[in-house]
């Protein structure tokens, strides 16, 4: 998949995004992996707005790969559906399992359920199979820069700082429990 074709503002053909399916994303948790996941797709104006910023910030922070998971898929009836809509029992269970693994909470729920609704784009930080952070703010990009829909104030720097913080948490090396200084014997 060529992400620079899918994302209008992403001009970098050598971007950090790599396609991932649901099983690969869930494998991050089950196999205690560490990395960053971008949940969203080119069909979303908010994802279009942040994709080049996520890419540039990742490269600046030496993040080589971000798994790109598009929650839209073709179901058995050949219809395009969104995993987050919980349209059938299997989809609902898969989405619920993802939300549980993320530890995500929200005041907005999927229709007719008590499952929190995850906004896209969602940038997820995973460290050793545990979610260490989620950025799911919705921004638009226009002549005023990157900003929330109800604001005209450019928030590009604020968003970049949030991404940098998340990337640093994921990349941070942990000191071993057994790492200590031994005292010399007299």
């Amino acid at each position: 998949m060529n992400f620079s074709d899918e994302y209008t503002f992403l001009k970098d053909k050598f971007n950090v995004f790599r396609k991932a399916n649901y099983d690969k994303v869930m494998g991050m948790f089950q196999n205690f992996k560490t990395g960053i996941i971008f949940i969203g797709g080119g069909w979303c104006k908010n994802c279009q707005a942040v994709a080049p910023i996520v890419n540039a910030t990742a490269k600046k922070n030496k993040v080589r790969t971000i798994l790109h998971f598009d929650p839209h898929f073709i179901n058995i009836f050949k219809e395009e559906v969104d995993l987050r809509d919980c349209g059938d029992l299997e989809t609902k269970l898969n989405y619920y399992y993802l939300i549980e693994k993320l530890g995500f909470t929200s005041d907005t729920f999927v229709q007719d359920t008590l499952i929190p609704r995850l906004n896209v784009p969602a940038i997820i930080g995973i460290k050793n199979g545990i979610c260490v952070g989620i950025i799911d703010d919705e921004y638009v990009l226009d002549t005023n820069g990157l900003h929330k829909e109800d604001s005209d104030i450019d928030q590009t720097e604020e968003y970049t700082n949030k991404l940098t913080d998340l990337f640093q948490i994921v990349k941070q090396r942990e000191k071993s429990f057994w790492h200590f200084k031994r005292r010399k014997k007299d």
Side-chain angles (χ1 to χ4, degrees):
M1 166 180 252
N2 189 350
F3 292 101
S4 56
D5 290 341
E6 184 176 348
Y7 290 96
T8 308
F9 304 115
L10 183 62
K11 303 299 181 198
D12 183 359
K13 290 187 191 287
F14 302 104
N15 59 66
V16 297
F17 299 110
R18 302 295 174 262
K19 185 176 174 76
N21 61 19
Y22 177 83
D23 292 332
K24 178 129 180 142
V25 169
M26 296 313 292
M28 295 284 292
F29 299 104
Q30 296 161 348
N31 298 316
F32 308 104
K33 300 282 184 173
T34 296
I36 308 289
I37 301 170
F38 180 104
I39 299 177
W43 43 266
C44 170
K45 68 179 179 180
N46 305 110
C47 295
Q48 288 283 351
V50 302
I53 296 167
V54 171
N55 181 63
T57 306
K59 286 187 168 191
K60 184 177 178 185
N61 285 277
K62 296 182 174 50
V63 173
R64 294 183 189 154
T65 303
I66 294 179
L67 296 181
H68 181 279
F69 172 60
D70 188 341
H72 281 195
F73 65 97
I74 305 298
N75 67 11
I76 59 171
F77 303 110
K78 307 288 188 238
E79 303 165 325
E80 184 174 335
V81 295
D82 190 328
L83 177 72
R84 300 169 306 135
D85 290 338
C86 299
D88 59 48
L89 181 59
E90 181 180 3
T91 304
K92 187 181 292 185
L93 292 173
N94 285 343
Y95 180 68
Y96 180 72
Y97 188 47
L98 174 64
I99 292 301
E100 283 294 306
K101 286 295 186 183
L102 293 175
F104 182 74
T105 59
S106 173
D107 293 335
T108 307
F109 298 101
V110 176
Q111 184 175 355
D112 299 328
T113 74
L114 293 175
I115 304 171
R117 174 93 174 169
L118 183 66
N119 293 329
V120 292
I123 315 304
I124 315 289
I126 299 179
K127 187 156 185 112
N128 301 322
I130 298 171
C131 178
V132 294
I134 301 172
I135 301 171
D136 72 333
D137 301 326
E138 295 178 312
Y139 294 95
V140 293
L141 186 64
D142 60 21
T143 56
N144 294 326
L146 186 73
H147 60 90
K148 297 197 177 180
E149 287 198 48
D150 57 351
S151 172
D152 287 338
I153 300 169
D154 186 1
Q155 296 173 320
T156 307
E157 186 176 343
E158 176 186 323
Y159 186 68
T160 302
N161 290 339
K162 285 182 184 180
L163 289 170
T164 299
D165 290 347
L166 180 63
F167 295 161
Q168 292 306 312
I169 289 169
V170 171
K171 289 181 62 178
Q172 184 178 33
R173 293 187 185 259
E174 295 182 37
K175 291 186 179 181
S176 169
F177 175 75
W178 300 106
H179 181 76
F180 60 91
K181 291 183 179 180
R182 291 188 178 177
R183 293 177 16 188
K184 292 183 180 180
K185 291 185 180 181
D186 292 342

